[in-house]
Amino acid sequence: MKKLQTYRDEAYHHLTQELLPFWETRCVDRENGGFITHFDKDGNDSGEDEKSLIAQSRTVFTFSSAHRAGYGDGRFADIARHGVDFMLNTMWDPEHGGFYWLMNRKGEVTIDEKIVYGHSFAIYSLSEYTLATGDPRGLEYAEKVFDLLQKYAVDTYYGGYFEMFHRDWTLKGPGSAGGDRKTLDAHMHLMEAFTTLYEASGREIHRRKLLEMIELLIHRVTHPEYGTGIPQFWADWRVAPQIKFDIIWGWDRFSEDGQKSAAEDNTSYGHNVEFAWLLMHALDVLGIPYSQYENQLLQSFRHAIAHGIDWEYGGVYVEGSHAGEVYDREKEFWQQAEVLIGMLDAYRVYGDEKYLEAYDATHRFVFDKMIAHEVGEWKPLLTRQGEPIWTHMSHSWKVNYHSVRAMVQSIVRLDKLLAQ
């Protein structure tokens, strides 16, 4: 009990005294609208002239969710509204619908393509914004995006969603353009988005598409034997070698030819645990007991415990094979964030002390090595032992969504555990 209270105190202090103040004092662009999202190791604006759909929408989510969780005395609702204004008035394509992928700081379009990964976060953040503030515009546009995806992106033959489109929603070409690929990443984030959309709308069609996405993730996207996530597929759901797309997200550590080593046998411990806790949250919103999906949940958690947690130095490895061999022992920020939430859920529901030990190993690594306490945010990438490799506090791919969500959601779960 004392240990749980210590975790909670540390998380609350970091969230309220370091993390949220870091963003509140830096990110609002009063001149051009939207958010500034590029900061160096000291927390200074690093000057990149871009505003991405991913970073703008995630920052809307961050301030909306923090407001909904009771932080900020109303200030965060105003910051979220500021971001929504920019998304709807500047990033929205009035001709073809959907959001542009990339703009400069002034709000001039630099990449006009329609990327489903970015639109999943538009649905997620705008739905959360309406749940947090009551402003109906968020849900209105979240539903518009959902409808566009049903019209243009659904693969009616093989199931799931195509992901890479030109401005007018025509599908992009094969190879690194990505038009012939499907990814775990986009489909998992669509599940997350549809969960919050259904929570906000209560509409049957949103419930149905959420259930469809859950079934697809379990029966197509996870490994039939190990229950671990497979990163990339061809359109017909055959496993595809994991390549780097022209529109890159998330992971910039590929070989020179743009293909990963072990390109057909790798799984992310962070994604597997993130999928498990997001699935639990979806089931909560749907009113479905966890027991219906217990096998999948336990496979996700147990694989990470067995192979992904660094029991010597703490923290979570990047990735390895489905069978268990670890390929990448570096420590990236977002995997730590998702494992914090997931291991608290696993411990809360299943009661196995091993999950709490995994949480402890990750929590201590994050608080002792990964958080730049003097600045307020998390370092992006460390060696296995915890030495910095990358040092920036934020860019389009590392904003506030993982770090702030991990603290907000960890506190919710620690409070539940303390109440028990």
Side-chain angles (χ1 to χ4, degrees):
M1 183 66 85
K2 187 165 180 286
K3 210 171 196 182
L4 292 175
Q5 189 62 53
T6 301
Y7 298 145
R8 199 236 183 243
D9 291 346
E10 285 187 306
Y12 185 80
H13 178 267
H14 173 51
L15 177 65
T16 59
Q17 303 304 309
E18 296 170 349
L19 201 48
L20 287 169
F22 176 93
W23 288 100
E24 183 180 5
T25 57
R26 285 172 173 80
C27 76
V28 178
D29 186 342
R30 302 282 178 205
E31 187 181 348
N32 299 303
F35 302 115
I36 294 164
T37 54
H38 293 70
F39 301 102
D40 68 15
K41 65 181 175 56
D42 301 313
N44 300 315
D45 180 355
S46 53
E48 281 93 336
D49 187 20
E50 66 173 53
K51 286 179 175 158
S52 66
L53 174 57
I54 199 77
Q56 298 301 310
S57 59
R58 283 177 165 183
T59 305
V60 166
F61 174 84
T62 291
F63 284 104
S64 300
S65 63
H67 175 70
R68 182 151 75 123
Y71 300 97
D73 299 319
R75 300 189 312 277
F76 297 159
D78 293 335
I79 295 174
R81 188 175 300 110
H82 173 86
V84 169
D85 289 344
F86 183 79
M87 283 182 68
L88 304 190
N89 299 333
T90 307
M91 298 198 90
W92 182 261
D93 179 351
E95 185 180 352
H96 297 287
F99 292 99
Y100 301 117
W101 178 247
L102 199 67
M103 313 191 110
N104 64 21
R105 290 199 182 189
K106 289 180 179 171
E108 297 160 335
V109 180
T110 55
I111 298 179
D112 64 8
E113 293 175 3
K114 306 293 164 63
I115 310 299
V116 165
Y117 183 87
H119 284 82
S120 72
F121 279 96
I123 295 172
Y124 187 46
S125 62
L126 292 168
S127 301
E128 182 72 22
Y129 170 71
T130 291
L131 285 163
T133 66
D135 182 342
R137 294 180 304 156
L139 181 58
E140 178 195 343
Y141 275 82
E143 293 198 64
K144 282 184 182 182
V145 173
F146 173 87
D147 292 346
L148 284 164
L149 296 186
Q150 305 316 310
K151 181 176 180 180
Y152 293 117
V154 167
D155 181 348
T156 52
Y157 192 78
Y158 290 112
Y161 293 76
F162 292 110
E163 302 180 20
M164 306 287 201
F165 297 87
H166 297 291
R167 182 188 169 191
D168 63 358
W169 292 97
T170 55
L171 191 61
K172 289 177 69 177
S176 61
D180 59 348
R181 301 274 179 140
K182 293 171 183 165
T183 66
L184 173 154
D185 220 350
H187 286 77
M188 182 180 74
H189 288 301
L190 285 171
M191 177 184 77
E192 163 187 80
F194 293 173
T195 299
T196 308
L197 177 62
Y198 175 58
E199 186 183 359
S201 77
R203 288 181 59 195
E204 168 62 24
I205 183 62
H206 299 149
R207 180 186 181 90
R208 207 165 75 227
K209 286 291 177 178
L210 172 56
L211 286 164
E212 182 184 290
M213 186 58 69
I214 290 169
E215 290 300 311
L216 181 99
L217 283 160
I218 290 172
H219 297 296
R220 294 287 195 199
V221 179
T222 57
H223 194 287
E225 183 181 352
Y226 299 106
T228 43
I230 299 167
Q232 282 183 25
F233 299 85
W234 301 110
D236 62 2
W237 295 107
R238 286 176 300 130
V239 177
Q242 195 180 357
I243 62 166
K244 182 175 179 176
F245 296 125
D246 299 335
I247 300 284
I248 175 79
W249 58 74
W251 213 72
D252 351 33
R253 287 173 290 153
F254 284 79
S255 62
E256 288 304 310
D257 64 358
Q259 183 161 309
K260 292 187 76 159
S261 53
E264 294 192 44
D265 179 24
N266 63 83
T267 191
S268 160
Y269 311 109
H271 267 152
N272 294 336
V273 174
E274 184 179 12
F275 171 52
W277 85 255
L278 287 172
L279 175 57
M280 293 168 96
H281 177 58
L283 296 173
D284 287 341
V285 170
L286 289 162
I288 294 172
Y290 301 148
S291 56
Q292 282 195 29
Y293 293 92
E294 186 167 284
N295 183 55
Q296 177 61 55
L297 293 168
L298 289 173
Q299 280 187 305
S300 299
F301 289 131
R302 286 171 177 167
H303 188 274
I305 288 277
H307 308 295
I309 302 292
D310 185 344
W311 296 105
E312 185 178 354
Y313 292 102
V316 187
Y317 299 129
V318 170
E319 65 183 19
S321 77
H322 297 284
E325 181 192 352
V326 181
Y327 298 149
D328 188 341
R329 286 184 158 78
E330 290 172 352
K331 310 285 169 65
E332 204 168 3
F333 73 100
W334 68 264
Q335 290 95 333
Q336 320 304 315
E338 299 309 319
V339 167
L340 287 174
I341 305 171
M343 289 303 157
L344 287 176
D345 263 346
Y347 179 65
R348 177 177 64 86
V349 173
Y350 300 112
D352 186 334
E353 288 295 323
K354 197 74 178 168
Y355 295 131
L356 192 59
E357 291 166 19
Y359 174 83
D360 178 75
T362 311
H363 178 102
R364 283 271 54 90
F365 185 85
V366 167
F367 277 79
D368 298 343
K369 304 279 192 186
M370 190 153 261
I371 297 170
H373 290 284
E374 68 286 357
V375 185
E377 245 292 346
W378 299 23
K379 298 164 195 167
L381 185 68
L382 308 179
T383 63
R384 182 187 177 191
Q385 293 79 10
E387 294 301 315
I389 299 172
W390 295 342
T391 58
H392 57 269
M393 289 294 110
S394 175
H395 61 34
S396 280
W397 294 109
K398 184 208 175 286
V399 275
N400 37 48
Y401 141 84
H402 286 289
S403 54
V404 173
R405 185 173 74 169
M407 292 301 100
V408 169
Q409 295 301 325
S410 292
I411 290 166
V412 168
R413 285 152 180 77
L414 287 163
D415 283 342
K416 285 180 182 175
L417 288 165
L418 285 163
Q420 287 173 15

